[in-house]
Amino acid sequence: MATSSQSLPALRNSPKAIFFTDFDGTITLQDSNDWMTDNLGFGTELRRAGNKSVLEGRPFRDAFQEMLDSVKTPFDQCIQLLLQNVKLDPAFKQFAIWCRQNNVPIVVLSGGMQPVIRSLLAHLVGEEEAAAMQIVSNDVKARPGKSVNDENGWDIEYHDASPFGHDKSLEIRPYAALPDRPVMFYAGDGVSDLSAARETDLLFAKAGRDLVTYCEKEKVPFTVFHDFSEIHKIVQDVVEGKISVQQAATGTA
């Protein structure tokens, strides 16, 4: 277990369950990258066209790169604007507190950028809850000859070389391969979550978003959620043994 705990941090306290989750548009009501693109970059219409192209097979990283390349605002100004405009799912903080009190690690798997996620989490749920969450994401880097806080000075630094930029399945699969492992949940909403959609015991997909469209098209089982109060109830019932994960997945109890 020592080796597993070192390479798989969510196993550190031998949990019964692990909650993997997307960040933008899942934990938050707005997607920070979409907000920047819509308000500071090339706008909503081109962004939606890019998302549609990903659902049709284009690599996510290519469409995402185009989105972020259209944002020229210095990075520190982007952070400040996001802190003013991005709101938290109203039920997430209570869920995060319950998870910490009940030894259910939250692992944030994001196609976004680490400094944005850390800033928003600390602002929205507080330093203590944010510090308890493992975050695996892309990062930010300066463009050649510039600082990230210069005009057109920053660029995304992808987590890996996959077509996703951050292939979330790579983080989940080592846990899934364990012979005696915790129950694994995943919550997401959009095209950055396609790589994770098939990897856990129970997938929560946000109502009306692109992940639902993908799952319906590819016949990937999922449970729809509107906010984290619905997720909280199901995860708590599974962890407390009131229902099985199979019952949760089919909506029977």
Coordinates of all heavy atoms in Angstrom, one line a residue, residues 170-240:
L170 N -5.7 8.6 -18.2 CA -4.4 8.2 -17.7 C -4.2 8.3 -16.2 O -3.5 7.6 -15.6 CB -3.3 9.0 -18.4 CG -3.2 8.9 -19.9 CD1 -2.1 9.8 -20.5 CD2 -3.0 7.5 -20.4
E171 N -5.0 9.2 -15.6 CA -5.0 9.4 -14.1 C -5.9 8.3 -13.5 O -5.6 7.9 -12.4 CB -5.4 10.8 -13.8 CG -5.2 11.2 -12.3 CD -3.7 11.3 -11.9 OE1 -2.9 11.5 -12.8 OE2 -3.4 11.1 -10.8
I172 N -7.0 8.0 -14.1 CA -8.0 7.1 -13.5 C -7.6 5.6 -13.6 O -7.8 4.9 -12.7 CB -9.3 7.4 -14.2 CG1 -9.8 8.8 -13.9 CG2 -10.4 6.4 -13.6 CD1 -11.0 9.2 -14.7
R173 N -7.0 5.2 -14.8 CA -6.8 3.8 -15.0 C -5.9 3.1 -14.0 O -6.2 1.9 -13.7 CB -6.2 3.6 -16.5 CG -7.3 3.8 -17.5 CD -6.8 3.7 -18.9 NE -7.8 3.9 -19.9 CZ -7.6 4.2 -21.2 NH1 -6.4 4.2 -21.6 NH2 -8.6 4.4 -22.0
P174 N -4.9 3.7 -13.5 CA -4.1 3.0 -12.5 C -4.9 2.6 -11.2 O -4.7 1.6 -10.6 CB -3.0 4.0 -12.1 CG -2.8 4.8 -13.4 CD -4.2 5.0 -13.9
Y175 N -5.9 3.4 -10.9 CA -6.7 3.1 -9.8 C -7.7 2.0 -10.2 O -7.9 1.0 -9.4 CB -7.6 4.3 -9.4 CG -6.8 5.4 -8.7 CD1 -6.3 6.5 -9.4 CD2 -6.5 5.4 -7.3 CE1 -5.6 7.5 -8.8 CE2 -5.8 6.5 -6.7 CZ -5.3 7.5 -7.5 OH -4.6 8.5 -6.9
A176 N -8.2 2.1 -11.4 CA -9.2 1.1 -11.9 C -8.5 -0.3 -12.0 O -9.2 -1.3 -11.9 CB -9.7 1.5 -13.2
A177 N -7.2 -0.4 -12.2 CA -6.5 -1.6 -12.4 C -6.2 -2.4 -11.1 O -5.9 -3.5 -11.1 CB -5.2 -1.4 -13.1
L178 N -6.4 -1.7 -9.9 CA -6.1 -2.3 -8.7 C -7.1 -3.5 -8.4 O -8.3 -3.4 -8.7 CB -6.2 -1.3 -7.5 CG -5.2 -0.2 -7.6 CD1 -5.5 0.9 -6.5 CD2 -3.8 -0.7 -7.3
P179 N -6.6 -4.6 -7.8 CA -7.5 -5.7 -7.6 C -8.6 -5.5 -6.5 O -9.7 -6.0 -6.6 CB -6.6 -6.8 -7.1 CG -5.3 -6.1 -6.6 CD -5.2 -4.9 -7.5
D180 N -8.3 -4.7 -5.5 CA -9.2 -4.4 -4.4 C -9.2 -2.9 -4.3 O -8.4 -2.3 -3.5 CB -8.8 -5.1 -3.1 CG -9.8 -4.8 -2.0 OD1 -10.9 -4.5 -2.3 OD2 -9.4 -4.9 -0.8
R181 N -10.1 -2.2 -5.0 CA -10.0 -0.8 -5.2 C -11.3 -0.1 -4.6 O -12.3 -0.7 -4.5 CB -9.8 -0.4 -6.6 CG -10.9 -0.8 -7.5 CD -10.8 -0.1 -8.9 NE -11.8 -0.5 -9.8 CZ -13.0 0.0 -9.9 NH1 -13.4 0.9 -8.9 NH2 -13.9 -0.4 -10.8
P182 N -11.2 1.2 -4.4 CA -12.4 2.0 -4.0 C -13.4 2.1 -5.1 O -13.0 1.9 -6.3 CB -11.8 3.3 -3.6 CG -10.3 3.2 -3.5 CD -10.0 2.0 -4.4
V183 N -14.6 2.4 -4.8 CA -15.6 2.8 -5.8 C -15.1 4.1 -6.4 O -14.6 5.0 -5.7 CB -17.0 3.0 -5.2 CG1 -18.0 3.5 -6.2 CG2 -17.5 1.6 -4.6
M184 N -15.3 4.2 -7.7 CA -14.8 5.5 -8.4 C -16.0 6.2 -9.1 O -16.7 5.5 -9.9 CB -13.7 5.1 -9.4 CG -12.5 4.4 -8.7 SD -11.0 4.4 -9.8 CE -11.7 3.7 -11.3
F185 N -16.1 7.5 -8.8 CA -17.1 8.3 -9.5 C -16.3 9.3 -10.4 O -15.2 9.7 -10.1 CB -17.9 9.1 -8.4 CG -18.6 8.2 -7.4 CD1 -18.0 8.0 -6.2 CD2 -19.8 7.7 -7.7 CE1 -18.6 7.2 -5.2 CE2 -20.5 6.9 -6.7 CZ -19.9 6.7 -5.5
Y186 N -17.1 9.8 -11.4 CA -16.6 10.9 -12.2 C -17.7 11.8 -12.5 O -18.8 11.4 -12.9 CB -15.9 10.5 -13.5 CG -15.2 11.6 -14.2 CD1 -14.0 12.0 -13.9 CD2 -15.9 12.3 -15.2 CE1 -13.4 13.1 -14.5 CE2 -15.4 13.4 -15.8 CZ -14.1 13.8 -15.5 OH -13.5 14.9 -16.1
A187 N -17.5 13.2 -12.4 CA -18.5 14.1 -12.8 C -17.9 15.1 -13.9 O -16.7 15.5 -13.7 CB -18.9 15.0 -11.6
G188 N -18.6 15.3 -14.9 CA -18.1 16.2 -16.0 C -19.3 16.9 -16.7 O -20.4 16.6 -16.5
D189 N -18.9 17.7 -17.7 CA -19.9 18.4 -18.5 C -19.6 18.5 -20.0 O -20.5 18.7 -20.7 CB -20.1 19.8 -17.9 CG -19.0 20.8 -18.3 OD1 -17.8 20.4 -18.1 OD2 -19.3 21.9 -18.8
G190 N -18.3 18.5 -20.4 CA -18.1 18.9 -21.7 C -17.1 18.0 -22.5 O -16.7 16.9 -22.1
V191 N -16.6 18.6 -23.6 CA -15.7 17.9 -24.5 C -14.4 17.5 -23.9 O -13.7 16.5 -24.3 CB -15.5 18.6 -25.8 CG1 -16.8 18.7 -26.6 CG2 -15.0 20.1 -25.6
S192 N -13.9 18.2 -22.9 CA -12.6 17.8 -22.2 C -12.8 16.6 -21.4 O -11.8 16.0 -20.9 CB -12.1 19.0 -21.3 OG -12.8 19.1 -20.1
D193 N -14.0 16.1 -21.2 CA -14.3 14.9 -20.3 C -14.5 13.7 -21.1 O -14.7 12.6 -20.5 CB -15.5 15.2 -19.5 CG -15.4 16.4 -18.6 OD1 -14.4 16.4 -17.8 OD2 -16.2 17.3 -18.7
L194 N -14.3 13.7 -22.4 CA -14.6 12.5 -23.3 C -13.6 11.4 -22.9 O -14.0 10.2 -22.9 CB -14.5 12.9 -24.7 CG -15.4 14.0 -25.3 CD1 -15.4 14.1 -26.8 CD2 -16.8 13.9 -24.8
S195 N -12.4 11.8 -22.6 CA -11.4 10.8 -22.3 C -11.6 10.0 -21.0 O -11.1 8.9 -20.8 CB -9.9 11.4 -22.2 OG -9.8 12.3 -21.2
A196 N -12.4 10.6 -20.1 CA -12.7 10.0 -18.8 C -14.1 9.3 -18.8 O -14.3 8.6 -17.8 CB -12.7 11.1 -17.7
A197 N -14.9 9.4 -19.8 CA -16.3 9.0 -19.7 C -16.5 7.6 -19.4 O -17.5 7.2 -18.8 CB -17.0 9.4 -21.0
R198 N -15.6 6.7 -19.9 CA -15.8 5.2 -19.7 C -15.0 4.6 -18.5 O -15.0 3.4 -18.4 CB -15.4 4.5 -21.0 CG -16.1 5.0 -22.2 CD -15.6 4.3 -23.5 NE -16.1 4.8 -24.7 CZ -17.2 4.4 -25.3 NH1 -17.8 3.4 -24.8 NH2 -17.6 4.9 -26.5
E199 N -14.4 5.4 -17.7 CA -13.3 4.9 -16.9 C -13.7 4.6 -15.4 O -12.9 4.0 -14.7 CB -12.1 5.9 -16.9 CG -11.5 6.2 -18.2 CD -11.0 4.9 -18.9 OE1 -10.5 4.0 -18.2 OE2 -11.0 4.9 -20.2
T200 N -14.8 5.1 -15.0 CA -15.2 4.9 -13.6 C -16.5 4.1 -13.4 O -17.1 3.7 -14.4 CB -15.4 6.3 -12.9 OG1 -16.4 7.0 -13.5 CG2 -14.1 7.1 -12.9
D201 N -16.8 3.8 -12.2 CA -18.0 3.0 -11.9 C -19.3 3.7 -12.2 O -20.3 3.1 -12.5 CB -18.0 2.5 -10.4 CG -16.8 1.7 -10.1 OD1 -16.5 0.7 -10.8 OD2 -16.0 2.1 -9.2
L202 N -19.3 5.0 -11.9 CA -20.5 5.8 -12.1 C -20.1 7.2 -12.7 O -19.3 7.9 -12.1 CB -21.2 6.0 -10.8 CG -22.6 6.6 -10.9 CD1 -23.6 5.8 -11.7 CD2 -23.2 6.8 -9.5
L203 N -20.7 7.5 -13.8 CA -20.4 8.8 -14.5 C -21.6 9.7 -14.3 O -22.7 9.4 -14.6 CB -20.2 8.6 -16.0 CG -20.1 9.8 -16.9 CD1 -18.9 10.6 -16.6 CD2 -20.1 9.4 -18.4
F204 N -21.3 10.9 -13.8 CA -22.3 12.0 -13.7 C -22.0 13.0 -14.8 O -20.9 13.5 -14.9 CB -22.2 12.7 -12.4 CG -22.5 11.9 -11.1 CD1 -21.5 11.4 -10.4 CD2 -23.8 11.6 -10.8 CE1 -21.8 10.6 -9.2 CE2 -24.1 10.9 -9.6 CZ -23.1 10.4 -8.9
A205 N -23.1 13.2 -15.6 CA -22.9 14.1 -16.8 C -23.9 15.3 -16.6 O -25.1 15.0 -16.3 CB -23.2 13.4 -18.1
K206 N -23.4 16.5 -16.7 CA -24.3 17.7 -16.4 C -25.4 17.8 -17.5 O -25.1 17.8 -18.7 CB -23.4 18.9 -16.3 CG -24.2 20.1 -15.7 CD -23.2 21.1 -15.2 CE -23.9 22.2 -14.3 NZ -23.0 23.2 -13.8
A207 N -26.6 18.1 -17.1 CA -27.7 18.2 -18.0 C -27.5 19.3 -19.0 O -27.0 20.4 -18.7 CB -29.0 18.5 -17.2
G208 N -27.8 18.9 -20.3 CA -27.8 19.9 -21.3 C -26.5 20.3 -21.9 O -26.4 21.2 -22.7
R209 N -25.4 19.5 -21.5 CA -24.1 19.9 -22.0 C -23.5 18.8 -22.9 O -24.2 17.8 -23.2 CB -23.1 20.0 -20.7 CG -23.6 21.0 -19.7 CD -23.5 22.4 -20.2 NE -23.9 23.4 -19.2 CZ -23.1 23.9 -18.3 NH1 -21.8 23.5 -18.2 NH2 -23.6 24.8 -17.4
D210 N -22.4 19.1 -23.5 CA -21.8 18.3 -24.6 C -21.5 16.9 -24.1 O -21.5 16.0 -25.0 CB -20.5 19.0 -25.1 CG -20.8 20.2 -26.0 OD1 -22.0 20.3 -26.5 OD2 -19.9 21.0 -26.1
L211 N -21.2 16.7 -22.9 CA -20.9 15.3 -22.4 C -22.1 14.4 -22.5 O -22.0 13.2 -22.9 CB -20.3 15.3 -21.0 CG -19.9 13.9 -20.4 CD1 -18.8 13.3 -21.3 CD2 -19.4 14.1 -19.0
V212 N -23.3 14.9 -22.3 CA -24.5 14.2 -22.4 C -24.7 13.8 -23.9 O -25.0 12.6 -24.2 CB -25.7 15.0 -21.9 CG1 -27.0 14.3 -22.3 CG2 -25.7 15.1 -20.4
T213 N -24.5 14.7 -24.8 CA -24.6 14.5 -26.2 C -23.6 13.3 -26.6 O -24.0 12.4 -27.4 CB -24.2 15.7 -27.0 OG1 -25.1 16.8 -26.6 CG2 -24.4 15.5 -28.5
Y214 N -22.4 13.4 -26.2 CA -21.4 12.4 -26.5 C -21.8 11.0 -26.0 O -21.8 10.0 -26.7 CB -20.0 12.8 -25.9 CG -19.0 11.7 -26.0 CD1 -18.3 11.5 -27.2 CD2 -18.7 10.9 -24.9 CE1 -17.3 10.5 -27.3 CE2 -17.8 9.9 -25.0 CZ -17.1 9.7 -26.2 OH -16.1 8.7 -26.2
C215 N -22.2 11.0 -24.7 CA -22.6 9.7 -24.1 C -23.8 9.1 -24.8 O -23.8 7.8 -25.0 CB -22.9 9.9 -22.6 SG -21.4 10.3 -21.6
E216 N -24.8 9.9 -25.1 CA -25.9 9.3 -25.9 C -25.5 8.8 -27.2 O -26.0 7.7 -27.6 CB -27.0 10.4 -26.0 CG -27.7 10.8 -24.7 CD -28.6 12.0 -24.8 OE1 -28.5 12.7 -25.8 OE2 -29.5 12.1 -23.9
K217 N -24.7 9.5 -27.9 CA -24.2 9.1 -29.2 C -23.4 7.8 -29.2 O -23.6 6.9 -30.0 CB -23.4 10.2 -29.9 CG -22.8 9.9 -31.2 CD -21.9 11.0 -31.7 CE -21.1 10.6 -33.0 NZ -20.2 11.7 -33.4
E218 N -22.5 7.7 -28.2 CA -21.6 6.6 -28.0 C -22.1 5.4 -27.1 O -21.4 4.5 -26.9 CB -20.2 7.0 -27.5 CG -19.5 8.0 -28.4 CD -19.1 7.5 -29.8 OE1 -18.8 6.2 -29.8 OE2 -19.2 8.2 -30.8
K219 N -23.4 5.7 -26.6 CA -24.0 4.7 -25.7 C -23.1 4.4 -24.5 O -23.0 3.2 -24.1 CB -24.3 3.4 -26.5 CG -25.3 3.6 -27.6 CD -25.7 2.3 -28.3 CE -26.9 2.5 -29.2 NZ -26.8 3.7 -30.1
V220 N -22.6 5.5 -23.9 CA -21.8 5.4 -22.6 C -22.8 5.6 -21.5 O -23.5 6.6 -21.5 CB -20.7 6.4 -22.6 CG1 -20.0 6.4 -21.2 CG2 -19.7 6.2 -23.7
P221 N -22.9 4.7 -20.5 CA -23.9 4.8 -19.4 C -23.5 6.1 -18.6 O -22.4 6.3 -18.3 CB -23.7 3.6 -18.6 CG -23.1 2.6 -19.5 CD -22.2 3.4 -20.4
F222 N -24.6 6.8 -18.2 CA -24.3 8.0 -17.4 C -25.5 8.3 -16.6 O -26.7 7.9 -16.9 CB -23.9 9.2 -18.2 CG -25.0 9.7 -19.1 CD1 -25.8 10.8 -18.8 CD2 -25.3 9.1 -20.4 CE1 -26.8 11.3 -19.6 CE2 -26.3 9.6 -21.2 CZ -27.1 10.6 -20.8
T223 N -25.3 9.1 -15.5 CA -26.4 9.6 -14.7 C -26.4 11.2 -14.8 O -25.4 11.8 -14.6 CB -26.2 9.2 -13.2 OG1 -26.2 7.8 -13.1 CG2 -27.2 9.8 -12.3
V224 N -27.5 11.7 -15.2 CA -27.6 13.2 -15.3 C -27.7 13.9 -14.0 O -28.3 13.4 -13.0 CB -28.9 13.6 -16.1 CG1 -29.1 15.1 -16.2 CG2 -28.8 13.0 -17.6
F225 N -27.0 15.0 -13.9 CA -27.1 15.9 -12.7 C -27.3 17.3 -13.1 O -26.9 17.7 -14.2 CB -25.9 15.7 -11.8 CG -24.7 16.5 -12.2 CD1 -24.4 17.7 -11.6 CD2 -23.8 15.9 -13.1 CE1 -23.2 18.4 -12.0 CE2 -22.6 16.6 -13.5 CZ -22.4 17.8 -13.0
H226 N -28.0 18.1 -12.3 CA -28.2 19.5 -12.5 C -27.3 20.3 -11.6 O -26.9 21.4 -12.0 CB -29.7 19.9 -12.3 CG -30.6 19.2 -13.3 ND1 -31.1 17.9 -13.1 CD2 -31.1 19.6 -14.5 CE1 -31.8 17.6 -14.1 NE2 -31.9 18.6 -15.0
D227 N -27.1 19.8 -10.3 CA -26.2 20.5 -9.4 C -25.7 19.4 -8.5 O -26.1 18.3 -8.5 CB -26.8 21.7 -8.7 CG -28.0 21.3 -7.8 OD1 -27.8 20.3 -7.0 OD2 -29.0 21.9 -7.8
F228 N -24.7 19.8 -7.6 CA -24.0 18.9 -6.8 C -24.9 18.3 -5.6 O -24.5 17.4 -5.0 CB -22.7 19.5 -6.2 CG -21.5 19.1 -7.0 CD1 -21.2 19.8 -8.2 CD2 -20.8 18.0 -6.7 CE1 -20.1 19.4 -8.9 CE2 -19.7 17.6 -7.4 CZ -19.3 18.3 -8.6
S229 N -26.0 18.9 -5.4 CA -26.9 18.3 -4.4 C -27.4 16.9 -4.8 O -27.5 16.0 -4.0 CB -28.1 19.2 -4.1 OG -29.0 19.3 -5.2
E230 N -27.6 16.7 -6.1 CA -28.0 15.4 -6.6 C -26.8 14.4 -6.5 O -27.0 13.2 -6.1 CB -28.4 15.5 -8.1 CG -29.7 16.4 -8.2 CD -29.9 16.8 -9.6 OE1 -29.1 17.5 -10.2 OE2 -31.0 16.5 -10.2
I231 N -25.6 14.9 -6.9 CA -24.4 14.0 -6.8 C -24.2 13.6 -5.3 O -23.9 12.5 -5.0 CB -23.2 14.8 -7.4 CG1 -23.3 14.9 -8.9 CG2 -21.9 14.1 -7.0 CD1 -22.2 15.7 -9.5
H232 N -24.3 14.6 -4.4 CA -24.0 14.4 -3.0 C -24.9 13.3 -2.5 O -24.4 12.4 -1.8 CB -24.3 15.7 -2.2 CG -23.9 15.7 -0.8 ND1 -23.7 16.8 -0.1 CD2 -23.7 14.6 0.1 CE1 -23.3 16.5 1.2 NE2 -23.3 15.2 1.3
K233 N -26.2 13.3 -2.8 CA -27.1 12.3 -2.3 C -26.7 10.9 -2.7 O -26.6 9.9 -2.0 CB -28.5 12.6 -2.7 CG -29.5 11.6 -2.1 CD -30.9 11.9 -2.5 CE -31.9 11.0 -1.8 NZ -31.6 9.6 -1.8
I234 N -26.4 10.8 -4.0 CA -26.1 9.4 -4.6 C -24.8 8.9 -4.0 O -24.6 7.8 -3.6 CB -26.0 9.5 -6.1 CG1 -27.4 9.8 -6.7 CG2 -25.5 8.2 -6.7 CD1 -27.5 10.0 -8.2
V235 N -23.7 9.8 -4.0 CA -22.4 9.4 -3.5 C -22.5 9.0 -2.0 O -22.0 7.9 -1.6 CB -21.4 10.5 -3.7 CG1 -20.1 10.1 -3.0 CG2 -21.1 10.7 -5.2
Q236 N -23.2 9.8 -1.2 CA -23.4 9.5 0.2 C -24.1 8.1 0.4 O -23.7 7.3 1.2 CB -24.1 10.6 0.9 CG -24.2 10.4 2.4 CD -24.7 11.6 3.1 OE1 -24.8 12.7 2.6 NE2 -25.1 11.5 4.4
D237 N -25.2 7.9 -0.4 CA -25.9 6.7 -0.3 C -25.1 5.5 -0.6 O -25.1 4.4 0.0 CB -27.2 6.7 -1.2 CG -28.3 7.5 -0.6 OD1 -28.2 7.9 0.6 OD2 -29.3 7.8 -1.3
V238 N -24.2 5.6 -1.7 CA -23.3 4.5 -2.1 C -22.3 4.2 -1.0 O -22.1 3.1 -0.6 CB -22.7 4.8 -3.4 CG1 -21.6 3.7 -3.7 CG2 -23.7 4.7 -4.5
V239 N -21.7 5.3 -0.5 CA -20.6 5.2 0.5 C -21.1 4.6 1.8 O -20.5 3.8 2.5 CB -19.9 6.5 0.7 CG1 -19.0 6.5 1.9 CG2 -19.1 6.9 -0.5
E240 N -22.4 5.0 2.2 CA -23.0 4.5 3.4 C -23.6 3.1 3.2 O -24.2 2.6 4.2 CB -24.0 5.5 3.9 CG -23.3 6.8 4.4 CD -24.3 7.8 4.9 OE1 -25.5 7.6 4.7 OE2 -23.9 8.9 5.4

